[in-house]
């Protein structure tokens, strides 16, 4: 049976090695999944807003997507929002630079730590993520949490679901989602003036997509690629 280790935040990502999943359900890697579904790529992960701006210029004025403390910087094109990505429509062939306060930073930390293969995930790709890791003897799951420092129920729930799928354990998905929806993180997302009205429901759409998201280093950039489950 696969051995699953659970870590949290930036500190947990910084110690991850071997097969690893970095989770950020509200909203970074839900947004990434919607970007990939809209045809965007490459998607480059940045640690700071300034790095994101510089990378976008280098990539011939790529789309800037993300947030700083929840809010989209004024010069960004899209917020860290699945709802905004849906409204943007077809993004085929468009490069995107994504920066968020937790997810993209945790993924970058895991890359530096030697995590490989490294996947990023939210509930929207839970089953595809588990399928992609089938056969691995040990897996580290990093729940990014809020700002990479505060545990978040939605990330813990996503880790719980992926682990259950990996080991073949029962999981009451409806109850799991209800608990997240009734929690403080969901309340914050539901009421924040920087959140799109559809973001909560879109982030909680379990298995909306049948692809997983794998991280790779290409030419010095850390990018997210779309993979198809076996």
């Amino acid at each position: 049976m696969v051995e699953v280790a659970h870590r949290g935040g930036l500190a947990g990502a910084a110690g991850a090695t071997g097969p690893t999943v970095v989770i950020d359900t509200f909203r970074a890697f839900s947004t990434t999944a919607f970007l990939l579904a809209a045809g965007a790529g490459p998607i480059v992960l940045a640690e700071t807003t300034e790095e994101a701006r510089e990378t976008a210029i280098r990539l011939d004025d790529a789309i800037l997507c993300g947030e700083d403390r929840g809010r989209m910087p004024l010069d960004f094109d899209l917020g860290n929002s699945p709802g905004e990505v849906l409204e943007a429509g077809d993004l085929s062939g468009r490069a995107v630079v994504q920066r968020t306060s937790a997810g993209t930073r945790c993924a970058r930390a895991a890359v530096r730590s030697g995590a490989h293969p490294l996947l990023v995930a939210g509930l929207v790709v839970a089953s595809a993520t588990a399928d992609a890791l089938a056969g691995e003897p040990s897996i580290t799951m990093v729940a990014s949490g809020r700002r990479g420092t505060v545990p978040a129920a939605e990330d813990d729930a996503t880790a719980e679901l992926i682990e259950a799928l990996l080991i073949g354990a029962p999981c009451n998905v409806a109850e799991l989602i209800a608990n997240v929806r009734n929690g403080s993180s969901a309340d914050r997302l539901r009421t924040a003036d920087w959140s799109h009205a559809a973001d909560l429901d879109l982030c909680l759409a379990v298995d909306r997509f049948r692809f997983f998201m794998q991280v790779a280093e290409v030419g010095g950039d850390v990018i997210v690629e779309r993979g198809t489950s076996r």
Side-chain angles (χ1 to χ4, degrees):
M1 180 179 291
V2 62
E3 180 180 336
V4 180
H6 292 268
R7 300 179 183 272
L10 289 163
T17 58
T20 299
V21 183
V22 175
I23 297 165
D24 190 333
T25 298
F26 289 174
R27 297 168 289 168
F29 297 134
S30 299
T31 299
T32 307
F34 277 85
L35 286 166
L36 289 169
I43 297 176
V44 182
L45 303 183
E47 289 197 66
T48 67
T49 54
E50 187 55 37
E51 178 192 338
R53 295 180 181 104
E54 293 171 356
T55 303
I57 292 170
R58 175 168 55 81
L59 294 178
D60 194 20
D61 202 27
I63 294 170
L64 275 167
C65 173
E67 50 81 17
D68 185 20
R69 297 179 180 271
R71 298 183 183 280
M72 181 184 77
L74 292 177
D75 59 338
F76 275 39
D77 304 294
L78 292 171
N80 184 38
S81 165
E84 290 186 33
V85 174
L86 274 183
E87 290 181 350
D90 185 9
L91 299 176
S92 297
R94 296 295 306 276
V96 176
V97 182
Q98 185 182 15
R99 187 274 170 185
T100 69
S101 298
T104 67
R105 295 170 64 211
C106 285
R108 290 282 296 267
V111 168
R112 287 192 297 270
S113 185
H116 181 79
L118 173 60
L119 277 61
V120 294
L123 288 167
V124 294
V125 294
S127 289
T129 301
D131 290 346
L133 292 168
E136 296 287 358
S138 62
I139 296 165
T140 297
M141 283 196 277
V142 179
S144 296
R146 184 180 172 192
R147 298 182 185 172
T149 57
V150 180
E154 68 277 5
D155 292 343
D156 293 337
T158 304
E160 177 184 340
L161 175 57
I162 294 173
E163 179 175 12
L165 292 166
L166 282 166
I167 67 176
C171 181
N172 188 326
V173 177
E175 181 179 326
L176 182 146
I177 297 303
N179 289 339
V180 173
R181 188 180 291 276
N182 292 327
S184 59
S185 291
D187 284 343
R188 180 172 179 269
L189 186 58
R190 190 183 291 112
T191 60
D193 61 3
W194 40 255
S195 176
H196 189 285
D199 279 349
L200 179 60
D201 287 338
L202 294 175
C203 289
L204 294 179
V206 177
D207 292 340
R208 180 176 176 125
F209 304 117
R210 289 304 305 168
F211 57 81
F212 62 93
M213 301 185 290
Q214 186 158 343
V215 177
E217 288 188 89
V218 179
D221 289 326
V222 175
I223 69 169
V224 181
E225 301 174 312
R226 173 174 171 161
T228 302
S229 294
R230 293 170 289 200

